[in-house]
Amino acid sequence: MRRGSWLVHLTVAVATLGASPGGLVRVEAAAAGEPSPTAQSSATVRAAIDRYCVACHSNQLRTAGLSLQSADLGDVPRHAELWEKVARKLRSGAMPPAQAPRPSQTETLAISSWIEATLDETSRRDPNPGRPAVHRLNRSEYTNAIRDLLALDVDARQLLPTDDQGFGFDNNADALGTSPGLMDRYLRAARKVARQAVGDPTMRPVVETFPLSRLLTQSDRVGEDSPFGTRGGLALRHTFPLDADYVLRIRLQGAALRSAEQVDVRLDGERLARFATGQARVKPGSQPATEGAPDPVLETRFSARAGPRTLSVSLVNRHVVPEGVMPRRLPVGNISFRASGVSNIELEGPLNAQGAGDTPSRQRIFVCRPTAPKDDVSCATRILSTIARRAYRRPATDRDVQTLLDFYKDGRAEGFDVGIRTALERILIDPEFLFRVERDPAAGTRGAAHPISDLELASRLSFFLWSSIPDDELIEVAAGGRLRAPGVLPRQVQRMLADERSRTLVTNFAAQWLHLRNMRAVAPDLTEFPDFDDDLREAFQRETELFIESQLREDRSVVDLLSANYTFVNERLARHYGIAGVYGSHFRRHTSDRPERVGLLGHGSLLTVTSYATRTSPVVRGKWLLENVLGAPPPAPPPNVPALKDNDQDSPPQSVRGRMEQHRANPVCASCHARMDPLGFALENFDAIGKWRDVGEDHARIDASGVLPDGSRFDGSAALRKLLLERRDEFASIVAEKMLTYALGRGVEYYDRPALRAIVRDAKAQGYTWSAIINAIASSPPFQMRKPTS
């Protein structure tokens, strides 16, 4: 390397921070004879940077609103936000570009390490944990809180609207706004939940409809709750509100309407009825499910006890064949396809109600029963104080209980249960339940960071690991002031991770980080991909969820997300992947020796959500990798960027790579696409629904090679994976950053970077295991501290 070049390139790297695409600024530095900074002391490195800044000043450097002219190397913490950007750009290797001379890795590392060490020491002396906003329970947290508070499963999708996301997650406090309309929804939800939990014998019958997607093939047994020897239909976990009668109506579709089928109906595994399709009749006044005459209905009336029950409706297999031998069927994309099976079911009730029954929620609520009128208030006090303690995530005060007793007395005239139900409604709309409120200490240094209370820490921990309220043990430990005692917090983390409720780290954290939730909405073009159906959609999502859950349960290194040689498949998914010898609808662990299916990069779910309906998208896939694997998100695209041209039917087809090369000829597009496209091209052997292919749209062999801006070359997904594994520290850092964002319920700011680096260092010493990262986050200043609001 020519003398002084490392300083020149540092200038280039810093000058382009936040720059618009293509906006490179060169600053020549007179640094002849400069030795490598790796051999220098911190003071010498600092002197080198100081000389670099002098060069910046003399050249009036300013790019895209970012200027180093006022940066004082004698007071780096004063410009912490700026220097954090410098360090991140240097470590990511984003600049300078591959065609420009570059400093050595050790030289770059020395400077970035000095910057980070300076900022870390300042943060250690004076931590800045930020000022968290008031956090409203989002829809998922509300659902889980009701489950854990009242032993009641509710479908919050019917009660509350979808939450907005911030920094990639829907638990971001700034995105969780409130409005009069939303609070009205919470009010109505509280009323409905309280009635369902306590039971309301006066409730009127309602009709609930449960439709099945027409893209479900219904050719396999549905889950573990359907009886053996059946196929299709659905197994529904439903909470019956009262001990009463209910009417079930079943509509069939496709060939099931014309062929001799038997329909099996069971409640908690006990058969309620078995119909022949010839018994179906047209319900008077019914409307057709599709064009034509109304579909006939199978109907049965039955009695059910209140509480959660499993109701299954399925078709009995007509032929005895080896499992996995499927009858020939039309692909879903065929215009004449209509799945043979159940179209929908209707459940009407309660009818002839006998009472509220003995449900899990009533057992949870009624911890006592008054034996005489004089015992009413004492029993109500015990019930309401117990519920309030859990709902408010702290011991209930006398004022809390008195307020609830006032509401209890308002409803007591209609009975003890109605009084409790009225007070429960009040609990469920209390800000102490709907919002996570943290208070500043009564006394302390104005504006100084301070530790949150043990009860507030317990609440943060439970919503981090469970997306729900703390349980009784965690509240008891926190209320006693023991949560920060030596060894207690790690033991609580270990206990909570072992609990089934920690699965929300898969369904909430990982599903949003990896965009897995988007699987519900993707709609591949069935003309282009006629083999796609909802069975495959569900299998894609289930595979990735089971894979990540196994990584968590086995406490593997987060790096294994990229390198694990196993996955989970059922027959439908195995057929899509070309895996032989897998039969049935249940998922099982499968070890693969096929390099293209190793780790997350081979999962059909992620390959599908990063594609368009009709084709793959190297841009979307490359952007996904930059944001979620490499931690180097590209800037937002400039306005009025022309779309990629589709193939013209009148011209010979072009590959996506060929069309992208034409697209990159536009200078406005070139600089960003130089980072994204090579990553996406490495996955081009996977089509838009994750199926392996060797030939592309132009009928030529796919070119999956690429070059990163730093000059690194690869060819195909296996080579890209190898390259990413060589940068495991960067991948572990982005996992920690995403998890810290999720844990805090806010974006990671520049003042959080020192804590994030400490989390990564601690986790590295333990092999980057999931538990190491989680424990380090739970012990970090941003998680354990806050700044006063004023």
Side-chain angles (χ1 to χ4, degrees):
M1 176 176 288
R2 65 183 176 86
R3 293 183 303 176
S5 61
W6 72 272
L7 194 54
V8 175
H9 304 315
L10 175 60
T11 306
V12 174
V14 176
T16 55
L17 285 171
S20 59
L24 303 183
V25 176
R26 283 296 190 94
V27 178
E28 297 300 328
E34 192 73 68
S36 168
T38 56
Q40 299 174 328
S41 66
S42 296
T44 308
V45 173
R46 175 174 161 177
I49 300 177
D50 196 26
R51 288 193 296 276
Y52 143 69
C53 283
V54 170
C56 296
H57 300 335
S58 64
N59 284 273
Q60 299 296 306
L61 176 62
R62 185 176 182 86
T63 304
L66 177 66
S67 174
L68 294 178
Q69 295 178 36
S70 61
D72 180 6
L73 261 292
D75 190 7
V76 169
R78 181 182 173 190
H79 304 282
E81 185 173 7
L82 183 149
W83 289 108
E84 285 288 0
K85 290 180 181 179
V86 171
R88 292 189 72 191
K89 285 289 185 179
L90 289 174
R91 282 199 179 274
S92 68
M95 296 303 299
Q99 65 269 23
R102 300 177 65 88
S104 70
Q105 184 176 0
T106 53
E107 290 171 329
T108 303
L109 179 62
I111 296 177
S112 58
S113 297
W114 181 86
I115 295 171
E116 292 169 351
T118 302
L119 295 170
D120 291 352
E121 176 60 22
T122 302
S123 177
R124 186 188 65 79
R125 294 195 307 265
D126 183 20
N128 180 3
R131 296 179 176 89
V134 175
H135 188 125
R136 171 177 61 81
L137 300 194
N138 65 20
R139 192 165 70 177
S140 175
E141 292 167 341
Y142 184 87
T143 301
N144 296 336
I146 294 297
R147 177 202 64 203
D148 296 339
L149 180 66
L150 303 174
L152 179 67
D153 290 321
V154 297
D155 185 359
R157 293 173 299 179
Q158 298 180 3
L159 302 174
L160 301 170
T162 303
D163 297 296
D164 293 331
Q165 285 190 336
F167 294 90
F169 297 101
D170 63 6
N171 70 342
N172 183 273
D174 291 331
L176 292 171
T178 58
S179 67
L182 179 60
M183 298 317 295
D184 182 66
R185 294 285 293 271
Y186 275 108
L187 181 62
R188 284 183 284 169
R191 192 173 297 123
K192 184 172 182 178
V193 168
R195 276 164 167 70
Q196 194 169 357
V198 175
D200 182 5
T202 66
M203 72 178 296
R204 300 173 62 182
V206 295
V207 177
E208 296 181 83
T209 302
F210 305 93
L212 279 77
S213 169
R214 291 187 63 196
L215 296 184
L216 281 172
T217 61
Q218 301 196 44
S219 56
D220 294 317
R221 176 172 172 243
V222 182
E224 300 300 321
D225 291 323
S226 292
F228 288 102
T230 64
R231 64 178 178 84
L234 78 168
L236 176 69
R237 189 68 174 169
H238 181 72
T239 300
F240 290 84
L242 299 172
D243 289 349
D245 291 345
Y246 298 86
V247 174
L248 176 69
R249 301 184 185 94
I250 307 163
R251 287 184 173 84
L252 305 179
Q253 66 180 14
L257 288 168
R258 302 180 297 274
S259 57
E261 299 280 5
Q262 288 189 313
V263 180
D264 188 86
V265 181
R266 296 178 183 246
L267 184 67
D268 289 340
E270 297 292 329
R271 182 181 295 165
L272 294 178
R274 176 168 285 189
F275 298 100
T277 51
Q279 296 175 269
R281 62 178 179 80
V282 176
K283 182 183 177 185
S286 63
Q287 298 296 318
T290 58
E291 293 184 7
D295 291 334
V297 177
L298 300 169
E299 183 175 304
T300 185
R301 182 167 177 152
F302 62 95
S303 297
R305 299 189 311 276
R309 304 276 178 259
T310 299
L311 179 65
S312 68
V313 177
S314 53
L315 276 65
V316 179
N317 286 336
R318 290 181 292 167
H319 305 289
V320 179
V321 294
E323 187 178 27
V325 179
M326 304 305 303
R328 187 176 181 272
R329 66 176 178 85
L330 290 170
V332 171
N334 189 291
I335 194 170
S336 63
F337 176 86
R338 189 180 181 199
S340 174
V342 177
S343 172
N344 67 65
I345 69 169
E346 287 182 357
L347 190 61
E348 181 180 358
L351 305 167
N352 297 332
Q354 303 299 311
D358 186 25
T359 64
S361 55
R362 286 178 61 83
Q363 294 172 13
R364 179 84 164 166
I365 293 168
F366 292 102
V367 294
C368 64
R369 277 288 181 182
T371 57
K374 63 181 178 62
D375 299 327
D376 282 11
V377 173
S378 61
C379 182
T381 300
R382 181 181 171 191
I383 290 171
L384 297 176
S385 60
T386 301
I387 297 174
R389 174 186 174 91
R390 295 166 179 159
Y392 301 160
R393 283 88 72 182
R394 57 170 175 77
T397 65
D398 292 342
R399 183 176 180 180
D400 294 329
V401 176
Q402 186 56 56
T403 298
L404 298 175
L405 284 174
D406 291 341
F407 278 84
Y408 159 77
K409 291 171 183 176
D410 288 344
R412 178 63 182 88
E414 299 179 48
F416 182 80
D417 287 10
V418 176
I420 295 298
R421 190 180 74 201
T422 304
L424 178 57
E425 289 182 28
R426 172 62 177 79
I427 290 174
L428 297 180
I429 61 170
D430 196 302
E432 294 276 356
F433 173 66
L434 292 178
F435 296 88
R436 289 162 52 189
V437 180
E438 296 175 351
R439 294 176 171 82
D440 297 330
T445 304
R446 184 178 179 84
H450 62 83
I452 58 177
S453 71
D454 276 22
L455 285 166
E456 291 168 344
L457 178 59
S459 188
R460 283 194 183 188
L461 190 63
S462 66
F463 280 98
F464 171 27
L465 301 182
W466 289 347
S467 294
S468 186
I469 57 178
D471 62 0
D472 290 342
E473 178 177 335
L474 187 58
I475 292 177
E476 182 179 354
V477 170
R482 303 191 304 275
L483 191 53
R484 286 188 173 91
V488 174
L489 183 60
R491 284 198 299 272
Q492 287 297 320
V493 169
Q494 182 179 16
R495 178 184 70 85
M496 295 173 73
L497 287 176
D499 192 284
E500 176 63 24
R501 284 169 285 188
S502 67
R503 192 171 183 274
T504 57
L505 289 172
V506 177
T507 57
N508 283 346
F509 164 66
Q512 292 184 86
W513 163 40
L514 300 173
H515 300 182
L516 186 59
R517 282 188 179 179
N518 294 354
M519 271 308 304
R520 306 169 187 165
V522 295
D525 188 297
L526 296 183
T527 302
E528 294 288 336
F529 305 102
D531 288 332
F532 185 84
D533 52 41
D534 275 359
D535 303 75
L536 187 60
R537 182 199 306 274
E538 292 178 1
F540 277 163
Q541 181 151 348
R542 186 67 175 147
E543 173 199 20
T544 305
E545 287 177 350
L546 288 171
F547 174 74
I548 297 174
E549 185 172 10
S550 74
Q551 297 273 309
L552 276 163
R553 299 294 180 206
E554 296 167 21
D555 198 21
R556 289 172 168 253
S557 168
V558 297
V559 180
D560 283 359
L561 290 173
L562 300 177
S563 61
N565 66 342
Y566 72 91
T567 189
F568 293 82
V569 295
N570 64 356
E571 181 179 358
R572 178 68 186 89
L573 186 58
R575 186 165 66 244
H576 185 73
Y577 285 169
I579 299 172
V582 177
Y583 304 110
S585 59
H586 63 285
F587 281 78
R588 74 293 314 265
R589 188 165 177 153
H590 174 79
T591 301
S592 176
D593 57 358
R594 299 168 61 177
E596 70 270 17
R597 293 297 176 189
V598 170
L600 283 173
L601 297 188
H603 280 219
S605 59
L606 305 185
L607 295 162
T608 302
V609 300
T610 54
S611 297
Y612 291 136
T614 57
R615 63 170 176 84
T616 60
S617 174
V619 175
V620 176
R621 288 177 174 177
K623 181 175 182 288
W624 183 90
L625 286 166
L626 284 172
E627 290 178 341
N628 299 293
V629 176
L630 293 172
N640 304 319
V641 175
L644 183 67
K645 294 182 179 179
D646 289 327
N647 279 321
D648 189 342
Q649 292 182 349
D650 299 329
S651 304
Q654 277 188 301
S655 67
V656 173
R657 177 184 283 269
R659 283 177 280 157
M660 288 302 305
E661 288 174 352
Q662 294 178 4
H663 189 71
R664 287 199 303 273
N666 185 337
V668 176
C669 307
S671 61
C672 289
H673 282 277
R675 298 174 61 201
M676 292 186 291
D677 295 358
L679 297 169
F681 286 139
L683 304 176
E684 192 61 12
N685 281 111
F686 297 103
D687 70 10
I689 57 171
K691 196 168 187 176
W692 184 262
R693 59 182 181 170
D694 295 311
V695 176
E697 300 172 1
D698 59 346
H699 311 299
R701 190 170 184 83
I702 289 173
D703 180 3
S705 63
V707 182
L708 293 181
D710 65 1
S712 303
R713 296 179 177 273
F714 52 86
D715 189 354
S717 60
L720 174 62
R721 184 182 304 107
K722 181 180 179 182
L723 188 66
L724 295 175
L725 289 172
E726 290 173 356
R727 305 179 180 190
R728 61 183 59 224
D729 292 345
E730 286 85 347
F731 177 65
S733 180
I734 190 60
V735 175
E737 180 177 345
K738 294 290 185 179
M739 185 165 272
L740 181 61
T741 301
Y742 177 79
L744 296 178
R746 62 171 176 81
V748 171
E749 304 291 348
Y750 72 92
Y751 47 76
D752 298 311
R753 294 284 164 188
L756 179 59
R757 287 189 286 270
I759 290 168
V760 174
R761 286 194 299 269
D762 291 347
K764 184 176 183 177
Q766 301 177 57
Y768 292 130
T769 61
W770 285 97
S771 63
I773 292 176
I774 290 169
N775 271 301
I777 289 174
S779 301
S780 67
F783 195 81
Q784 294 221 356
M785 303 178 72
R786 71 189 301 270
K787 274 196 168 184
T789 54
S790 60

